[in-house]
C-alpha cells in the first residue's frame, strides 16, 4: 500500500454560480484519472459539520437496545434507519460497520409515499440525542445545494450546458445519506470495514473524520487516501461511467480501519431522479483506459430507470430486508 494525495479542487466559482468554466478542466482531469478528488471552497458551515459529528458519536455510543428503536425493519419501503455491525453486505460478505440510513424527508401524504415508491418516505430519528434530527436535515439541504453546484462543473467538463444535469436528470434528484461507524479492526484481521465496491449513481460527497482507512484503486494500484481537514472527498458512481462510455470511471474503493479508535464517515449520494432514464451523452475525447471492473459488470449496458438500477443494488446489500420489504 502507498499513500497518494488526491487533487484538491477549489469549487468556490461553482458555489457562487458565476464561473463553472474556471473549474471544469481540473474536474475533468480528476474524473479521467482516479475518479476521486477533494473539494475545498464548498461553503458548508463548519459548525454544522461539528454538530452532525457530535450528535452521530453520541448516537453510536448508546446501547444497541436504544439504537434498535429506529432499526431499518421499522422503516419499511422507505429503507431508513439503523443496522448493527455485520448487518450490511458488500459482495456477499458482512461489513465491519454499523450505520444509519437517511434520505429526503417526505411526509406520509406525499404522492410518492402514498404510492409506495421504494426508498421514499420519512426518516427515522432517535429520541436521543435529539440534536441528530436537526443536524441531519440541515446537512441534507447543504449537501443537495453542493451537489447541484458540483454537477454544473461536471456539465462544463463534458462540454454540456452548465444546467444540463439539473434539466435532464436531477431536477428532482434521488438523495440518500448514510452515517457509518467503523469499530477498530485488529491489524492481523483479514476482514474489511467495507469491502471493495463502486457507488451506484452520479456523485458521492464524503465527509470523513481524521482516522483514515479509505483506500482507492488508482492507476498505480490500491492507495491510502489521507484525510484533509475542511474538505470533502468526491467520487463518481456507475451512472456517470455509463453516461460517458467509460471516459469517467466509477472507481473501486474500500475501507479498513486499523486505527486504535473508531472511525465515522458521512457519505451523501446525489443521484438521478428515480424515474430518470440514464442515457449516454456525447463525451469529448476517448474513454480512459482501465482494468476490468471489480464486479465484471459493465454499467454502460444497463437499460432502464435509475430507480430500477438502484433497487437491484440495494436488495443485495440487505437481502433479507429486500425480500421482506420489496
Amino acid at each position: 500500500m502507498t499513500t497518494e494525495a488526491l487533487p484538491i479542487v477549489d469549487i468556490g466559482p461553482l458555489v457562487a454560480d458565476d464561473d463553472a468554466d474556471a473549474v471544469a478542466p481540473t474536474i475533468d482531469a480528476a474524473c479521467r484519472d482516479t475518479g476521486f478528488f477533494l473539494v475545498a471552497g464548498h461553503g458548508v458551515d463548519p459548525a454544522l459539520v461539528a454538530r452532525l459529528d457530535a450528535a452521530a458519536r453520541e448516537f453510536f455510543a448508546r446501547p444497541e437496545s436504544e439504537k434498535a428503536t429506529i432499526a431499518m425493519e421499522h422503516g419499511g419501503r422507505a429503507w431508513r434507519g439503523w443496522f448493527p455491525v455485520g448487518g450490511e453486505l458488500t459482495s456477499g460478505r458482512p461489513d465491519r460497520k454499523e450505520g444509519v440510513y437517511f434520505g429526503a424527508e417526505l411526509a406520509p401524504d406525499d404522492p410518492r409515499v402514498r404510492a409506495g415508491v421504494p426508498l421514499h418516505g420519512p426518516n427515522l430519528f432517535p429520541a436521543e440525542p435529539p440534536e441528530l434530527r436537526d443536524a441531519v436535515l440541515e446537512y441534507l439541504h447543504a449537501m443537495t445545494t453542493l451537489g447541484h453546484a458540483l454537477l454544473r462543473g461536471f456539465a462544463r467538463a463534458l462540454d454540456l450546458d452548465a444546467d444540463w444535469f439539473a434539466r435532464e436528470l436531477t431536477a428532482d434528484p434521488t438523495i440518500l445519506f448514510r452515517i457509518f461507524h467503523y469499530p477498530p479492526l485488529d491489524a492481523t484481521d483479514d476482514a474489511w470495514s467495507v469491502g471493495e465496491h463502486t457507488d451506484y449513481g452520479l456523485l458521492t460527497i464524503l465527509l470523513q473524520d481524521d482516522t483514515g482507512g479509505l483506500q482507492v484503486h488508482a492507476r498505480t494500484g490500491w492507495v491510502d487516501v489521507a484525510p484533509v481537514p475542511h474538505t470533502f472527498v468526491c467520487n463518481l458512481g456507475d451512472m456517470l461511467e455509463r453516461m460517458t462510455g467509460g471516459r469517467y470511471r466509477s472507481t473501486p474503493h474500500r475501507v479498513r480501519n486499523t486505527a486504535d479508535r473508531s472511525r465515522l464517515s458521512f457519505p451523501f449520494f446525489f443521484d438521478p431522479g428515480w424515474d430518470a432514464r440514464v442515457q449516454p451523452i456525447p463525451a469529448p475525447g476517448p474513454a480512459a483506459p482501465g482494468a476490468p471492473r471489480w464486479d465484471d459488470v459493465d454499467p454502460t449496458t444497463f437499460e432502464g430507470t435509475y430507480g430500477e438500477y438502484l433497487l437491484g443494488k440495494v436488495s443485495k446489500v440487505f437481502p433479507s430486508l429486500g425480500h421482506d420489504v420489496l
Side-chain angles (χ1 to χ4, degrees):
M1 291 296 303
T2 60
T3 298
E4 182 171 303
L6 297 180
I8 301 178
V9 183
D10 184 343
I11 60 168
L14 293 178
V15 173
D17 197 15
D18 60 4
D19 191 6
D21 288 349
V23 181
T26 309
I27 290 178
D28 180 65
C31 291
R32 287 186 288 106
D33 185 15
T34 62
F36 272 76
F37 58 96
L38 304 177
V39 295
H42 45 71
V44 177
D45 187 354
L48 171 59
V49 171
R51 287 194 291 116
L52 179 67
D53 182 90
R57 292 181 188 279
E58 183 176 345
F59 171 74
F60 287 120
R62 304 193 78 82
E64 286 208 356
S65 58
E66 288 190 31
K67 291 183 283 192
T69 60
I70 61 163
M72 291 185 73
E73 63 193 60
H74 303 310
R77 295 177 71 83
W79 211 278
R80 311 290 169 82
W82 171 80
F83 67 87
V85 174
E88 183 174 73
L89 307 182
T90 300
S91 299
R93 298 185 63 182
D95 292 332
R96 298 289 184 88
K97 72 176 189 295
E98 62 176 320
V100 192
Y101 273 40
F102 301 100
E105 179 74 355
L106 300 177
D109 61 353
D110 184 281
R112 292 161 293 182
V113 180
R114 295 180 65 181
V117 178
L119 278 72
H120 289 71
N123 289 294
L124 299 180
F125 292 104
E128 298 291 338
E131 296 83 6
L132 185 63
R133 177 190 177 89
D134 287 346
V136 166
L137 294 179
E138 288 182 43
Y139 193 76
L140 288 171
H141 176 74
M143 290 294 103
T144 301
T145 301
L146 180 57
H148 282 297
L150 281 163
L151 285 187
R152 290 195 291 271
F154 279 80
R156 293 305 300 137
L158 293 166
D159 202 26
L160 302 167
D161 294 339
D163 65 348
W164 188 89
F165 282 98
R167 185 175 67 247
E168 299 294 334
L169 287 179
T170 59
D172 182 19
T174 300
I175 299 300
L176 301 173
F177 176 50
R178 318 291 190 231
I179 305 178
F180 292 140
H181 168 235
Y182 307 82
L185 297 174
D186 189 305
T188 62
D189 193 338
D190 64 356
W192 289 93
S193 302
V194 179
E196 179 181 357
H197 67 284
T198 55
D199 295 340
Y200 308 145
L202 289 176
L203 173 66
T204 302
I205 309 171
L206 173 69
L207 168 66
Q208 58 175 340
D209 67 12
D210 62 357
T211 304
L214 174 63
Q215 300 177 358
V216 173
H217 199 185
R219 293 179 184 271
T220 56
W222 285 102
V223 297
D224 287 310
V225 178
V228 177
H230 310 301
T231 66
F232 294 104
V233 178
C234 290
N235 67 276
L236 316 182
D238 293 346
M239 292 298 97
L240 204 54
E241 180 173 338
R242 164 171 168 65
M243 294 170 62
T244 63
R247 173 181 172 85
Y248 289 176
R249 298 277 288 186
S250 181
T251 305
H253 48 288
R254 61 193 184 187
V255 175
R256 183 170 168 79
N257 179 26
T258 57
D260 59 358
R261 62 188 187 278
S262 294
R263 175 184 189 265
L264 286 190
S265 73
F266 305 79
F268 176 86
F269 304 96
F270 189 83
D271 294 337
W274 186 261
D275 295 322
R277 301 192 73 87
V278 182
Q279 303 293 336
I281 59 174
R293 279 176 52 106
W294 63 283
D295 55 1
D296 294 322
V297 172
D298 181 3
T300 65
T301 63
F302 169 74
E303 297 290 343
T305 66
Y306 179 63
E308 292 168 340
Y309 186 82
L310 183 58
L311 283 182
K313 293 291 186 177
V314 298
S315 61
K316 295 179 181 178
V317 173
F318 294 99
S320 61
L321 184 63
H323 180 270
D324 294 341
V325 173
L326 300 179

